[in-house]
Amino acid sequence: MNDGTKNGPGPPAHRPATTEDLLRLHAPQVLGALVRRYGHFDLAEDAVQEAFIAAAQQWPAAGAPDNPRGWLIKTASRRLVDQLRSEEARRRREENAAALTPRDAFTAPPPGESRAPSEDDTLTLLFLCCHPELPAAGRTALTLRAVGGLTTAEIARAHLVPEATMAQRISRAKQKIKGVPFRQPGQEDRDRRLATVLQVLYLIFNEGHTATSGSELHRADLAHEAIRLTRAVRRLLPTEGAVTGLLALMLLTEARSAARTGPHGELVPLDEQDRTRWDRAAIAEGTALVEESLSQGPAGPYQLQAAIAALHDEAASTEETDWLQIVALYDELVRRAPGPEPMAELSRAVAVAMAHGPEAGLAELKGLEKELSGNHRLDAVRAHLLEKSGDTEGALAAYRSAANRTLSVPESRYLMMRAARLRA
Amino acid sequence: MKYLVMVQGSQADYDAMNGKASEHSAAWSEKDLQAMFAFMGEINNDLAETGELVDANGLSAPSQTRFVGADKDGKPVITDGPYGETKELLAGYWVLDCASLERVTEIAARVAACPQPEGVPVYPVVIRPIPDGPGIDG
C-alpha cells in the first residue's frame, strides 16, 4: 500500500499514520469481509462503525495492534454475531433466510479464510454503494460512509445538512440495497456500473472542490477523500483509461486550490490567481496520468477534461495559455457527449473568447440561451465578456443577475464585488 | 433558551448591493460591501467562539423566492411569483443559544450597528424566542 506517501495536495507526505488514517484505510476491506461472510450490509455496517469507535478509543492510548485490519474484522464480527443472535435480528434473519443463506461455498467462505483478495472487496463495495437503484444523494453518502469510513456526523457536516437528516438518508439507502448479493456485476453490466462509480467519486470531489451552497468555498476534506478513493480504484483497475483520467482531472484541479480563494474566503478567478501557489507536485503527477490515460484507449470525458486542466496548469499565465488547443479539446468533449453538454459548451465559449476575443465568445453564448436560461453561470460568463468588450452597463446588469441567482455565498460575493468595481 | 435573530431586506436592497441604485436605496461600493462582510464575519466568529451560534445564514435574493401550494392531486402549484421590488422580508438569520434575552438583545444591537453606506434604508433587527421542547427530530 502506498497510501499517505503520495497524496497530492492532501496531508503532508511523511506524516505518521494516525488512528483515523488507519481506520479509513481499512474501512472498505473490513466491511467487505463482513458482508461477504455474513451478508446483511446494514447490520455489518453498524458493526464496523462500532468496531471503529472502539478502535478510536483504545488505539491512541494502547497503540495500534500489529494487524489492525485483523483486529477490526474480529471485533466487528463479534458485534455482528451478537446482533444477529438478538431476538430482533433473529426475526429479521428468518424473514431474510434466503438472502442470508450462502448460495454456495464460493460466495461465503468460512470465517478466517478469504477466497478473493480483500482489495476486490473495495471495488465490490463501491459497486454496491453506487447501485443504480439508489438516488444520487444516497450513493454519495453511502460511498463516503462504507468505503470512505467517514462518520455520519462528518458526512453531514460536509454536506451542510443536520446529522439526523444524513443518518436517515444513509439508513434509507442501506434498506434499499438490502438483499443485493455482495459480488461484482457481470461483465456486460460492469462498464455501466463503473461509470456510475466514477460519477459518484467525481460528484464527491466537486462537492468538496466547489461547494454548491453555503459559505465555505472549499470543503477540502471531501475533495481529498474523493482523490483517496479514486486512487484506490486506480490501484485495482490500473489500465482503465477513465479511472486514470478521472484521477488526473482531480489532481490537476485540486492543484490550484490554494490560489482559488483570498484571505477572506473570496473567490479568485483563474486569470488573477498567484500561480506560484499552485501545487507543482500534483500538477506533475496529474500531467503524467493524463498522458498515460490517453494511451489507455479512446479519450472519454474525464481524459479530455484532464487534458484541458493540464493545459491550464502548465501555462505560466492566462496569456500564455494554449487557448486554441483548449477550444479543440472542448469541441471534442461536446462532440463525443451522448447528450447536450451546456456546461462544457459554456466553458468552450470562454476559451473561444480567450482565443478570438470577447465578441466571438459572446456570439457562442447566443446558442446557449435556451438551455441555460436562468443559470447564474451563463450570466457570470456574459458579464465577464461584456466587461472585456467595454459594455459596462450590460456587464453590470449581467453581474447583478448572476449574483442574484447563485446559491453559493463566496460566488455571490465575488460577483457583487465585480459589479461594485465596475461602477467605481 | 434559543432565539431566532432576523435581519430584513427587499429585492431593491439586494439590487443596491449589486450596484443598482434606486429611489429606495443608494448603491453599495466595493468598500461598503467589504466592510459589511468583514463586520458580519467577525460577529459570526465571536458567536461561534462563545458557543452561542447554532446556525446562521444569509438568504438569496427575493427574486429567487416562490410560493407553493398543492392542487387536489398533491402536485405543486406556484401561487405567487418572486416577491415584488419593495416588499420587505427575511434576508438572513441567526439561531442563537443565549443565557438571557438581555444577552441576545445585546447581540442584535451589535448586528444593527453593521456599517452601511449613506442613503440605504435601515431596518430593525428582529428577535423571536424559540420555545424549548422536542424539535422536529424528537
Side-chain angles (χ1 to χ4, degrees):
Chain A
M1 290 280 170
N2 58 1
D3 279 85
T5 55
K6 254 186 123 184
N7 258 342
H14 300 294
R15 192 188 61 176
T18 62
T19 299
E20 199 181 322
D21 292 339
L22 280 174
L23 293 181
R24 288 207 180 153
L25 175 64
H26 294 301
Q29 279 123 42
V30 173
L31 180 55
L34 253 72
V35 178
R36 197 146 39 79
R37 273 180 211 164
Y38 303 99
H40 264 291
F41 181 86
D42 52 345
L43 294 180
E45 217 264 337
D46 290 341
V48 171
Q49 290 285 330
E50 280 177 44
F52 277 22
I53 291 167
Q57 285 165 348
Q58 294 172 28
W59 293 5
D66 294 338
N67 176 3
R69 187 191 299 170
W71 189 97
L72 288 165
I73 292 177
K74 200 168 64 196
T75 309
S77 298
R78 276 196 205 127
R79 310 255 168 165
L80 180 61
V81 169
D82 283 351
Q83 246 186 319
L84 288 171
R85 279 195 191 124
S86 79
E87 276 312 304
E88 164 67 359
R90 183 181 300 154
R91 185 181 59 76
R92 240 183 283 174
R93 187 174 40 174
E94 282 161 6
E95 277 173 12
N96 296 308
L100 247 184
T101 310
R103 279 179 188 77
D104 56 39
F106 279 101
T107 54
E113 280 176 39
S114 70
R115 203 168 298 271
S118 57
E119 274 78 12
D120 285 352
D121 283 347
T122 305
L123 205 54
T124 311
L125 258 187
L126 263 172
F127 280 123
L128 188 62
C129 294
C130 300
H131 199 271
E133 291 280 300
L134 293 173
R139 285 183 205 154
T140 56
L142 210 54
T143 300
L144 284 172
R145 175 136 160 185
V147 192
L150 271 66
T151 65
T152 306
E154 286 172 316
I155 302 169
R157 215 176 307 132
H159 285 95
L160 303 175
V161 300
E163 194 178 338
T165 308
M166 189 49 80
Q168 238 175 26
R169 196 179 288 172
I170 290 172
S171 110
R172 263 202 301 270
K174 284 195 285 188
Q175 281 297 315
K176 203 142 194 181
I177 55 165
K178 210 171 169 180
V180 174
F182 189 71
R183 57 167 176 253
Q184 290 203 23
Q187 189 58 44
E188 73 281 8
D189 207 19
R190 191 182 155 284
D191 289 350
R192 197 168 51 85
R193 293 284 294 278
L194 180 62
T196 315
V197 168
L198 297 184
Q199 195 184 20
V200 167
L201 294 174
Y202 192 40
L203 254 172
I204 294 172
F205 176 79
N206 273 328
E207 198 58 37
H209 186 71
T210 312
T212 46
S213 62
S215 57
E216 291 281 322
L217 185 74
H218 193 84
R219 277 182 258 158
D221 282 1
L222 277 186
H224 292 163
E225 192 54 31
I227 290 175
R228 195 181 69 82
L229 292 176
T230 310
R231 273 190 199 284
V233 176
R234 178 169 146 73
R235 265 200 302 279
L236 303 172
L237 304 169
T239 58
E240 200 75 55
V243 179
T244 312
L246 179 59
L247 180 58
L249 174 58
M250 288 178 178
L251 289 170
L252 290 165
T253 310
E254 185 64 11
R256 299 195 288 258
S257 65
R260 285 179 76 236
T261 46
H264 305 295
E266 71 272 22
L267 208 152
V268 181
L270 190 59
D271 59 342
E272 290 173 22
Q273 285 176 19
D274 175 2
R275 291 177 187 230
T276 60
R277 296 180 66 203
W278 289 0
D279 182 340
R280 289 293 140 195
I283 292 173
E285 192 192 356
T287 309
L289 285 170
V290 172
E291 277 160 27
E292 192 182 331
S293 80
L294 292 173
S295 71
Q296 293 176 329
Y302 297 125
Q303 286 106 305
L304 288 168
Q305 287 182 78
I308 293 168
L311 286 173
H312 282 302
D313 287 9
E314 286 170 337
S317 67
T318 317
E319 294 72 33
E320 286 163 77
T321 307
D322 189 347
W323 291 106
L324 285 173
Q325 183 64 33
I326 289 178
V327 173
L329 285 166
Y330 273 120
D331 281 341
E332 222 24 51
L333 191 62
V334 172
R335 194 174 63 79
R336 293 194 187 183
E341 284 285 348
M343 287 326 244
E345 289 187 55
L346 190 60
S347 303
R348 184 184 167 278
V350 176
V352 168
M354 295 306 292
H356 305 293
E359 281 79 12
L362 285 165
E364 295 289 332
L365 293 188
K366 290 232 164 62
L368 291 168
E369 301 276 345
K370 211 172 143 196
E371 275 185 283
L372 287 177
S373 118
N375 186 298
H376 73 272
R377 282 188 211 283
L378 178 66
D379 288 328
V381 169
R382 181 183 292 120
H384 276 287
L385 297 186
L386 287 171
E387 184 180 346
K388 268 195 177 36
S389 74
D391 179 354
T392 308
E393 276 311 303
L396 246 164
Y399 276 127
R400 204 142 57 214
S401 161
N404 270 340
R405 280 174 169 152
T406 179
L407 296 180
S408 150
V409 174
E411 215 165 58
S412 150
R413 283 186 189 177
Y414 162 75
L415 292 161
M416 284 159 88
M417 297 288 188
R418 291 302 289 220
R421 202 179 298 171
L422 207 54
R423 281 168 27 85
Chain B
M1 180 66 132
K2 287 196 183 113
Y3 298 90
L4 184 63
V5 174
M6 296 174 276
V7 286
Q8 296 163 287
S10 67
Q11 182 61 45
D13 295 315
Y14 280 81
D15 287 344
M17 286 188 193
N18 288 333
K20 185 187 171 195
S22 66
E23 271 178 33
H24 174 83
S25 169
W28 294 58
S29 75
E30 187 176 355
K31 241 176 84 194
D32 297 332
L33 288 169
Q34 263 161 353
M36 187 258 289
F37 294 145
F39 184 87
M40 291 298 191
E42 242 172 70
I43 291 188
N44 288 339
N45 282 343
D46 290 351
L47 292 172
E49 243 164 67
T50 59
E52 290 166 302
L53 183 72
V54 179
D55 188 25
N57 275 302
L59 301 183
S60 63
S63 61
Q64 293 292 92
T65 307
R66 55 168 56 163
F67 282 72
V68 179
D71 69 10
K72 60 176 170 31
D73 301 321
K75 285 210 190 71
V77 177
I78 299 159
T79 55
D80 195 353
Y83 282 107
E85 283 283 310
T86 54
K87 213 187 271 181
E88 288 155 29
L89 70 151
L90 191 61
Y93 66 86
W94 288 259
V95 176
L96 303 176
D97 198 342
C98 292
S100 66
L101 182 61
E102 284 64 45
R103 168 63 185 147
V104 72
T105 304
E106 190 183 301
I107 296 167
R110 187 174 162 197
V111 170
C114 178
Q116 295 206 117
E118 289 285 315
V120 165
V122 179
Y123 303 100
V125 177
V126 181
I127 299 174
R128 297 195 66 182
I130 304 171
D132 282 328
I136 45 163
D137 301 325

